[in-house]
Amino acid sequence: MILNKRIVRSNTINISSVISFVVVIFVFTTWCSISSSLLPGAFTAIIPIFVLLGLVAMCPRIIFSNKTFIWGVIYVAMLFIMTSFHNIILGYGSGGMDTWLIETAFLLPSLALSAALYQYHGSRLPNLIFWTFVVSFTISFVFIGPTLVFHRDMARFLTIVPADNLDLEDRALKSGLWAYVGFHAIALCFVLYWGLYKYSSGKIRLISLLLSLAILFIVAQIAITTTFLYIIFVIIVLMYLKWKNNFVVILGLVLIGLTIVVLNIQGVLQWLLDVYKGSDMEPKIRDFIDIVGGGTQRHGTIEGRVDYQQQNIDAFLDSPIFGQTMVKGTGGHSSIWMRFAGGGLLCGIPYLMMIISLFIQWYKLLPCLLYTSDAADD
């Protein structure tokens, strides 16, 4: 019996080790490919496909028993069928088979990795992913760090302007920056690394703190509206968790702060405009100034978002089962609504269920995470 247990444990360790090796390659190449000067564009599709095939070959039972992965397979299958009949605009590719290939190459390997990570969450796999990110983030940051420090305005400009509208020198500089979505991804990591700082010790604690501060610096320098508001929200939540026993005092201070801002709204908005001039936030701030002043939005950033969602909804209602081709430049700004608009219920439902299943999957691990946190506090 003891010998059998050792054999099973040895096989589990070997599989986990191989998966770890595959995951390290996937995480490193995917992150580095965000900066196109580090890796050729072909790697962004080739490596994920090999990762998917490798994970399926090594642990097919784990992958195909995962509900999230199954919903992902159903979604990409429906997307393949829909793109065979009409284009589906998702923000990349032409809307045809190239869009389907890009969606599949990133989605299914990520879901397969998530299934493996969920199964082996108690192994060294999460630790390897952490260190892989640290190394790849550091290498990537070496490329963009000087630009963010010494050429902040140029960096902000390059993140919101398409490469086709730039001269060769600016294109070269832009290729060293992360893609727009890369700044969103790095902002989402803030909660993770702040949590590691809070509940870890030794060098992990120090590295997590440095990563958290680096993320705050990047978000402040680039000033993309979504990432900026996300970080503010996270900081407010973290403050509440730290001082929740003094909730009444904190609530009072927040209300006082909001009152001061409201009473001086014009001055606050003008100050924000000066600080974030040339960034993604500038047109939004200008539109708020117009609204407060009772005028018409010059940039239409708020009305534009509403129009995008209405276009998505109208396209879905016109063809709820199969969806329809969206004119490029319409719709957008909602990952879920874009799938319903372009692929109807056949694409939208499995895509939505995939997201819900992913949340449920990791929610089930919360007791383990909370136990770890309580142990760290003790």
Side-chain angles (χ1 to χ4, degrees):
M1 179 68 71
I2 295 175
L3 180 60
N4 289 337
K5 287 184 178 180
R6 287 179 178 176
I7 293 174
V8 171
R9 179 173 175 78
S10 176
N11 291 336
T12 301
I13 291 175
N14 289 336
I15 293 175
S16 178
S17 299
V18 176
I19 292 175
S20 299
F21 175 73
V22 173
V23 167
V24 165
I25 295 175
F26 177 60
V27 174
F28 183 79
T29 55
T30 301
W31 180 250
C32 287
S33 65
I34 290 176
S35 178
S36 58
S37 63
L38 294 180
L39 287 175
F43 277 87
T44 62
I46 295 174
I47 295 298
I49 290 174
F50 277 108
V51 167
L52 173 63
L53 295 175
L55 289 172
V56 170
M58 285 184 291
C59 45
R61 184 175 299 179
I62 292 174
I63 302 300
F64 288 107
S65 64
N66 185 272
K67 292 181 180 179
T68 306
F69 183 80
I70 296 301
W71 280 117
V73 171
I74 296 173
Y75 162 67
V76 297
M78 291 296 101
L79 185 65
F80 177 82
I81 295 173
M82 291 299 103
T83 51
S84 299
F85 292 97
H86 65 264
N87 287 350
I88 298 180
I89 305 301
L90 298 180
Y92 41 80
S94 65
M97 285 300 166
D98 57 338
T99 297
W100 173 81
L101 180 61
I102 295 170
E103 185 88 335
T104 303
F106 277 100
L107 189 61
L108 290 188
S110 298
L111 295 179
L113 166 59
S114 177
L117 187 59
Y118 178 77
Q119 179 68 25
Y120 296 107
H121 67 271
S123 67
R124 62 176 183 171
L125 185 57
N127 193 45
L128 280 173
I129 292 177
F130 170 78
W131 284 111
T132 303
F133 179 86
V134 170
V135 173
S136 55
F137 175 82
T138 303
I139 294 174
S140 187
F141 189 73
V142 168
F143 279 78
I144 73 167
T147 303
L148 294 179
V149 174
F150 302 108
H151 304 285
R152 184 193 65 183
D153 293 340
M154 176 59 70
R156 290 178 174 179
F157 172 74
L158 294 176
T159 57
I160 59 178
V161 177
D164 294 340
N165 298 344
L166 301 172
D167 58 31
L168 291 177
E169 184 177 353
D170 287 340
R171 286 187 191 183
L173 181 58
K174 183 180 179 70
S175 68
L177 290 172
W178 298 332
Y180 196 85
V181 68
F183 290 103
H184 288 319
I186 195 66
L188 290 173
C189 294
F190 176 72
V191 173
L192 170 63
Y193 294 111
W194 186 261
L196 286 172
Y197 162 72
K198 181 175 175 59
Y199 295 114
S200 300
S201 59
K203 61 182 179 181
I204 297 292
R205 179 180 175 88
L206 176 60
I207 292 173
S208 299
L209 176 61
L210 293 176
L211 284 170
S212 301
L213 294 176
I215 291 172
L216 289 178
F217 169 75
I218 292 169
V219 170
Q221 291 294 91
I222 293 298
I224 296 175
T225 309
T226 307
T227 59
F228 194 81
L229 294 177
Y230 166 76
I231 291 295
I232 292 176
F233 173 77
V234 168
I235 290 175
I236 291 174
V237 172
L238 292 175
M239 290 175 61
Y240 166 74
L241 293 175
K242 184 174 179 60
W243 295 301
K244 58 185 176 182
N245 293 332
N246 299 315
F247 175 74
V248 176
V249 176
I250 294 175
L251 180 61
L253 292 174
V254 170
L255 291 176
I256 291 173
L258 288 175
T259 302
I260 294 174
V261 169
V262 170
L263 293 176
N264 300 274
I265 188 65
Q266 288 283 6
V268 171
L269 289 174
Q270 189 58 52
W271 174 76
L272 289 173
L273 183 62
D274 294 337
V275 173
Y276 296 108
K277 189 173 182 179
S279 71
D280 172 73
M281 293 179 62
E282 180 183 354
K284 283 86 168 177
I285 297 173
R286 289 190 181 278
D287 280 345
F288 271 110
I289 292 175
D290 292 339
I291 292 173
V292 171
T296 304
Q297 300 177 39
R298 282 175 284 180
H299 298 274
T301 55
I302 300 173
E303 294 176 348
R305 265 55 174 187
V306 176
D307 290 341
Y308 284 143
Q309 303 317 313
Q310 190 60 53
Q311 291 162 3
N312 286 325
I313 294 171
D314 291 342
F316 169 69
L317 293 178
D318 288 342
S319 181
I321 304 299
F322 303 104
Q324 61 179 298
T325 300
M326 297 289 289
V327 178
K328 202 161 187 178
T330 62
H333 283 280
S334 172
S335 172
I336 295 175
W337 267 121
M338 288 173 68
R339 270 70 181 178
F340 276 99
L345 293 172
L346 293 178
C347 281
I349 288 180
Y351 185 79
L352 181 61
M353 290 304 300
M354 177 191 70
I355 295 174
I356 294 174
S357 178
L358 188 63
F359 275 103
I360 293 174
Q361 172 180 301
W362 291 103
Y363 181 78
K364 291 179 180 178
L365 282 182
L366 270 181
C368 300
L369 299 176
L370 292 174
Y371 175 79
T372 303
S373 301
D374 293 338
D377 287 338
D378 295 338

